[in-house]
Amino acid sequence: MALAETNLIHMNLKAKSIIKICTVGAFFLSVVNCASNIPDSGRTLIWNDEFNGKGLPDSLKWNYDTGGGGFGNEEAQFYTKNRLENVRMEKGNLIIEAKKENWENNKYTSARLLTKGKFAFQYGTIEVRAKLPKGRGTWPAIWMMSENMKKWPDDGELDIMEHVGFNQGYVHASVHTKKYNHIQGTQKTDTLFVKGVSETFHVYKADWTPEKIDVYIDERKFFTYENKEKNYGAWPFDQPYFIILNLAVGGMWGGKEGIDDLVFPQKYYIDYVRVYQNK
């Protein structure tokens, strides 16, 4: 991305993200979410999607995972591709919508977007401003996996945000590696209660360095995973990772207390995704 374009994005972060007017000057007006989006000389915006268009998400930035079959988690939805009913840009947001409908032997539809093959990064900061769906059976996530994934969980997974609807307001962040993963019950994880998680937007952020990963919600750090053991079994996070946004229905965790069909359709709103390189 050209420097001029980067500066323009920093100076004109869209009006629909307005929280406060942080700085007003004769020649400079920055309308931003003050907590996390003030232009910072310590980092450079290297990739973003503001979802300002209309219709399907940008195919130059996003691919789809498609199909049913549970995706290893006994999930109940079928992930569709290029279907506006399940994913679209609308009024400055990306909307992933889970619907109660029959689709190829599945009882629900939804969407899972990923930047694999289009964008991956190694170290830096990712910020996603989102408003989550609610209701028993919903399971939205913001997460990352290795661009060169050969074996899970050996090559690592970073879950920046997971929320299961039967436990409203409790947001989880985790890492999964060969040594630490939920199959063995050894995953590294933590939880933060966020009031109004489905009524208002919040910023979910991960800072990733060779030494550690810190995860925040609205600048409140609640999870840290450190590279203490200096081996691949515990720390596979020295390679490029891609971004995943999805809304699952049911599953071993999301459906642990069943699925309430009366809550559907449910919408997962993403205001923006921004990735910064830290200097």
Side-chain angles (χ1 to χ4, degrees), residues 65-71 77-81 103-104 106 108 110:
D65 275 337
T66 58
F71 283 82
Q77 80 291 326
F78 188 98
Y79 285 133
T80 66
K81 179 179 181 180
W103 196 276
E104 297 194 18
N106 297 91
Y108 310 88
S110 188

Side-chain angles (χ1 to χ4, degrees), residues 9-10 13 17-20 22 30-45 50 125-130 201-207 215-221 271-276 278:
I9 291 171
H10 276 309
L13 293 172
S17 297
I18 293 173
I19 301 299
K20 300 175 185 175
C22 300
S30 180
V31 182
V32 295
N33 181 325
C34 299
S36 60
N37 300 320
I38 296 173
D40 184 348
S41 61
R43 62 184 192 172
T44 302
L45 185 67
E50 305 294 320
T125 299
I126 175 172
E127 294 180 354
V128 180
R129 186 170 184 261
F201 284 88
H202 298 271
V203 176
Y204 303 90
K205 181 176 80 169
D207 281 332
V215 180
Y216 302 75
I217 301 176
D218 298 329
E219 293 302 316
R220 181 178 176 183
K221 183 167 66 175
D271 182 19
Y272 58 71
V273 180
R274 298 172 186 160
V275 179
Y276 298 87
N278 298 324

Side-chain angles (χ1 to χ4, degrees), residues 82-99:
N82 293 333
R83 185 173 186 250
L84 291 170
E85 290 86 346
N86 294 123
V87 64
R88 60 193 176 274
M89 292 185 293
E90 188 177 286
K91 297 181 180 179
N93 295 305
L94 175 71
I95 298 174
I96 299 177
E97 184 168 354
K99 301 175 75 71

